[in-house]
Each structure stands twice: as C-alpha cells, then as structure tokens.
Amino acid sequence: SKKGAKRGKRGRHTGPPPNGMTVFSSEEPRETLVGDIVIDAYGKQFSDDMYYIRVSIEALLQILNDPTEAPFHQQAVQALIAMFGPLQNNCAPYLGRIVPAVLRAMGVAPPSQASFYVESLGRLVCISQQLIRPFAEKIFDLYDSDAHASDSLLCTLAGLVEVLFEAFSGDLGSHLPTVLSFLLSVIDRDTSEMRQVTDRTLHALRILSPSLEGYLFLVMPRLLSLLDLATTPINVTESTLACISSIVSAVNCNSFASRMVLKLVELLKCSPTPQFQSAVVEVFCTLMEQLQDEFTLFMPMISLTMKSRGIFNHEKYDGCTRLLFSGRLIPKDTLRVLPLLSGDAIRANTRLGLTSSESRPKPNVDATAIRRAWTVSQSMSKGEWAGWLNGLTSELVRQSPSAALRACSGLASKYPKLCKELFNAAFVSCWTELPGQYQQEIVSSLQEVASKPDVPPDVLQTILGLAGYMERDEKQIQIDL
C-alpha cells in the first residue's frame, strides 16, 4: 500500500543522524528525542502545533530540572506560563511534570526569587483550574514550612490560597486546616507598623469564608482582636470589618453574635470618621440579616451608641430595621470576592476563551527578518559561525507561527543550548510559511555554509541533522557535501 511504501522509505533513510537530546524526569521513564523528534513519532506527521508545544516544554523542562542552569530558571518558567495560556485544558498532560519542576527550581533559587515562583504557580492554577488538583499536594506543602519568609512571599502565598480555593470550587479538602493555620499565624506574627501582610491575609480569609464555619473558634477571636484602633492601623481595621461581614454572610456565626456586637459597639464609640462609622454600621446590618429576630436583643444598645455618635439616621440600617419588624428581611447572597493574585486576567480570559489557540490569529512570519539572519559573511571565525547559527535559530523561534516556540524566544536569544534544541522544530514551523523564493534562498544559504571548509563540525552536524529531520516530515531539502 502507499502507506506501507512511505514507511518503507523512511525505514531506508540513510542520511546523517539528527542531533540527540535526552530528557530525564523523576516522575516518568526516560524519554529520548532525536533531533527533537520523539521516537514513537517516526512514520507519523509530527510537525503540528501540539508537537511544537511538546518539543518546547521538553526543552524548558530540561533547563528547569538542571540545578546548574538556575540563572535561566525564571525565564524558563515565564515561557511555560506564556504557552500554557492558549493551551487551556490541553495543558493537563504536562502538569504532572511542570508543577514539580517549578517547585524544584524554587528550591535552588535564592530567597528573593521565591515570590516569583509562588506567583507562577498561582498563574498555573488560574489557567488549569481543577486539572491541577491531582498535582496540588506538593503546592500545599509550601504552607507547612516554619521557615522565616519575607513579607512579599507571605503576601504571595496568601494570593496562591485564593486562586486554589477558587479553582477547586471552595473545596480545599484536608488541606484547609493547614492553610488556615498558616494564615492565622501570619496575622499573629505580623508586628510591623502598617500591618500590610495582615491586610493581605484578611483578603484571603474573606475568600475562604464559606469554608470557615467549623473554624470560627480559631478565626473570630483573631479578627475581633484587630478591631482596636489603638493597636491596629485604620485601613487594616476596615479590612477586618469587611472580613467579618463576609464570614457572617457566608456561615452561621450565632455563637459569636454577642462578642461581635459588643466589640463593634466599642469600635463605634471611638470611630474617627463618618466613613468609618458607616463601615461599622454596615456590619450591624449584615448581622441583622443573619440573626433575624435574635438581633433585636442588641438593638437598644446599638441605637443608643449610634445616637451618642450623632448618627440619627442611617439609610441601610433603618431600612433593614423596618424589614425585620415587618418580617420581610431576607439575607443577601454573599458578595463574591475576587483573588488579587496577578493571574486574574489570565483566569478571566481563559474562561471566555480569549486566549485559546482557536481564537488567536496565526502570527505572521517576517520572512525578511529570517533572510537577514541566514545571510552569511564571506569570512567568519569559529566563534562567529556559532553566533551565526544562534542568531538564525533565535530569529526562527521569534518568527515561528507556533505560539509555544515563540514563547521561548526571550530565553533562546540568551541561551545557546535552548537554540540548539529548538532549531529543527523552529525551522520546520517557519518553512511552511515562507514563499517559494525564500525557501530556495535559505536552502542555498545552508548549502553554501555546509560547503565551506572552515565550518565547525557542530554547525555542520546541525545542518545535516536538519536535512534528516525535514525528510522525516516529508519536507525534503537537498544538502550536498
């Protein structure tokens, strides 16, 4: 058959062997790529977008799994995040290797870079949502550490909690006690003047509020202790009021009603501004909605305190009171609080499909830029030949119609080893977009390079390996020695 004939032709290929790359993973068996071609892809068409994605991810994982390449880890992670956005659900096969690789890179990075890696994990969570759940165990281990962390890292960890909670539809399972213990310890240990870490943690607690009913005995005393303007900055006190309001709206807080009302009355007595007074009264309204008739026990004391502060009319409180006495006060739905981690835009666009590869127009390939890169000078030293090949590869990666390869362009321009790994895939991806005249010119240029007596062996081997790679994808180019 024709199909069998094609297989036979490939089997008789006697061209020079392509370059080899071996990728090691602690999670999966060793996998060998030959000239960026997966062994099991021989005899199949492999130069499609999903293949380019796999090649790019394998090359970046090789960098992340090598501690000696630590200076390039951050850019490798950035490239992975950039290519995962359009992938959406298609990222699932790679998460089991990406998450441990990012955590390992974080482990060998200086402490000043820890926030970057935690935020990167947050972005992965935003993109993959529930798909990352099977691999989240090691992420939650970050909250078990007792090591001293910077304020920046603590804030970023709080942000990671938020996106995990949202991605898992509010179900953190057995990890909730660990996460909650971490957040409360952050509040307890924050002795800074402005309490910025506490403020950030309170936002995370607001998002977790629907899951806190069984933990009010731990959470509420901490929150009530923050309602003290003598020891807590006013902005943090306002954040605490918002947090208490969210929890009261989400879960049954009746057992803490008396303590909350008493603390709020004390706070109202020393409220410094009308805006702050109104914020306190708003919490009273939320309590009224939830407690219903039981709230009437506290109304005389609240009314007396409001009048002592010159609050004779408060539109919302008065409205809630009328509805309560007429039996028409209905608790409002809990106001949804969005995560603050900088992955919000990625998550929103992913849900709308705005970053999907289907909706994104195919990038244009600048053939002129590639032509400039393949142009060869008359006389070049060994170092200049290596620079020429790296420059050509960088431009091919930058111009590639594959979003995955393009995501690697920043790192490829600085890291020659990545250029070498991506050369074949980048060349083929651009080849199909080049006009016929440009295809002839680049083949002539490669032929010219291969014919020069002073070309270093590694450059020559790369060109010959490309010829073998192209033939396997039925895009044969003629390179004669």
Side-chain angles (χ1 to χ4, degrees):
S1 66
K2 292 183 179 179
K3 190 172 181 180
K6 288 183 180 179
R7 286 188 182 134
K9 182 178 178 181
R10 287 193 177 104
R12 292 193 301 270
H13 173 70
T14 57
N19 296 330
M21 177 176 75
T22 303
V23 180
F24 297 93
S25 169
S26 58
E27 286 75 25
E28 295 183 2
R30 180 182 301 182
E31 179 181 55
T32 302
L33 306 182
V34 180
D36 295 339
I37 304 173
V38 183
I39 290 295
D40 61 13
Y42 276 67
K44 304 175 185 178
Q45 184 174 356
F46 52 83
S47 56
D48 57 20
D49 199 50
M50 289 307 297
Y51 176 74
Y52 296 138
I53 290 168
R54 186 174 181 181
V55 167
S56 302
I57 289 175
E58 294 289 352
L60 293 171
L61 279 173
Q62 189 177 39
I63 296 172
L64 284 177
N65 290 330
D66 186 351
T68 65
E69 304 292 359
F72 302 102
H73 283 175
Q74 279 190 300
Q75 282 190 281
V77 170
Q78 288 172 336
L80 285 169
I81 299 297
M83 70 176 70
F84 266 45
L87 278 178
Q88 297 188 47
N89 290 344
N90 290 326
C91 70
Y94 310 106
L95 291 172
R97 300 175 65 196
I98 298 297
V99 171
V102 174
L103 289 169
R104 279 194 297 270
M106 179 180 173
V108 299
S112 60
Q113 295 179 6
S115 294
F116 164 82
Y117 289 103
V118 172
E119 183 166 339
S120 297
L121 289 169
R123 291 183 179 226
L124 276 177
V125 173
C126 291
I127 294 167
S128 58
Q129 297 291 299
Q130 288 278 359
L131 296 174
I132 206 169
R133 184 186 283 272
F135 317 109
E137 191 77 28
K138 294 180 180 179
I139 297 178
F140 284 110
D141 288 345
L142 294 172
Y143 298 96
D144 281 329
S145 175
D146 293 328
H148 175 74
S150 66
D151 287 355
S152 173
L153 178 56
L154 292 174
C155 289
T156 311
L157 285 167
L160 179 58
V161 168
E162 296 175 354
V163 294
L164 284 166
F165 187 81
E166 184 171 89
F168 296 167
S169 302
D171 178 20
L172 295 183
S174 61
H175 300 294
L176 180 59
T178 301
V179 167
L180 195 55
S181 176
F182 166 80
L183 294 175
L184 295 178
S185 69
V186 169
I187 294 176
D188 292 341
R189 296 176 185 178
D190 185 10
T191 58
S192 62
E193 182 179 356
M194 299 305 297
R195 306 289 289 274
Q196 291 179 344
V197 179
T198 296
D199 196 34
R200 185 66 186 84
T201 304
L202 289 169
H203 190 275
L205 286 173
R206 289 185 68 188
I207 291 179
L208 266 60
S209 57
S211 297
L212 297 182
E213 186 163 359
Y215 302 92
L216 289 178
F217 70 99
L218 294 173
V219 177
M220 200 56 70
R222 257 88 164 199
L223 298 181
L224 295 178
S225 70
L226 294 174
L227 298 180
D228 186 350
L229 290 174
T231 59
T232 308
I234 188 169
N235 65 302
V236 177
T237 307
E238 290 173 337
S239 297
T240 305
L241 290 171
C243 186
I244 291 174
S245 184
S246 293
I247 294 173
V248 170
S249 296
V251 299
N252 186 338
C253 297
N254 291 17
S255 59
F256 282 89
S258 297
R259 294 176 63 179
M260 284 190 286
V261 170
L262 289 173
K263 195 68 177 180
L264 289 168
V265 166
E266 291 178 12
L267 188 63
L268 184 59
K269 289 178 180 178
C270 59
S271 298
T273 65
Q275 292 79 9
F276 192 91
Q277 292 174 357
S278 182
V280 176
V281 177
E282 289 274 350
V283 182
F284 283 139
C285 294
T286 304
L287 277 167
M288 190 189 306
E289 292 173 354
Q290 300 303 316
L291 296 176
Q292 295 290 313
D293 291 341
E294 295 181 23
F295 188 79
T296 57
L297 297 173
F298 308 111
M299 293 182 77
M301 177 175 56
I302 294 171
S303 179
L304 185 63
T305 305
M306 289 175 64
K307 289 177 181 178
S308 71
R309 297 295 296 166
I311 308 173
F312 297 99
N313 296 290
H314 188 280
E315 183 178 356
K316 184 173 181 180
Y317 186 84
D318 295 342
C320 288
T321 301
R322 288 192 296 270
L323 291 173
L324 177 64
F325 288 133
S326 63
R328 294 182 291 118
L329 182 61
I330 301 174
K332 294 182 175 61
D333 292 335
T334 304
L335 181 65
R336 184 169 177 237
V337 183
L338 295 175
L340 295 178
L341 193 64
S342 56
D344 287 353
I346 294 178
R347 185 190 64 256
N349 288 341
T350 299
R351 287 182 173 173
L352 294 172
L354 298 180
T355 57
S356 67
S357 56
E358 291 82 2
S359 61
R360 176 178 293 183
K362 193 173 184 179
N364 293 323
V365 175
D366 187 346
T368 303
I370 298 176
R371 173 193 267 171
R372 286 195 299 267
W374 80 54
T375 302
V376 181
S377 302
Q378 292 297 321
S379 178
M380 297 173 67
S381 65
K382 181 178 180 179
E384 289 173 332
W385 278 117
W388 168 82
L389 183 58
N390 289 336
L392 173 58
T393 308
S394 296
E395 194 60 47
L396 290 169
V397 172
R398 188 179 300 113
Q399 298 299 333
S400 174
S402 165
L405 288 170
R406 283 199 177 204
C408 301
S409 60
L411 180 55
S413 64
K414 302 175 183 177
Y415 185 55
K417 187 176 179 181
L418 181 60
C419 281
K420 182 178 179 181
E421 306 295 359
L422 298 181
F423 175 69
N424 289 344
F427 186 96
V428 175
S429 70
C430 291
W431 173 264
T432 55
E433 304 297 317
L434 292 176
Q437 177 188 347
Y438 283 79
Q439 289 182 349
Q440 294 175 8
E441 288 184 18
I442 193 170
V443 171
S444 297
S445 180
L446 292 175
Q447 174 66 68
E448 179 186 354
V449 172
S451 302
K452 288 182 177 293
D454 58 342
V455 175
D458 56 335
V459 174
L460 179 59
Q461 177 61 32
T462 299
I463 295 173
L464 296 177
L466 172 65
Y469 181 94
M470 295 283 285
E471 183 175 346
R472 287 177 174 83
D473 197 33
E474 300 180 350
K475 300 179 179 69
Q476 187 170 356
I477 62 174
Q478 189 68 35
I479 303 292
D480 297 322
L481 295 179

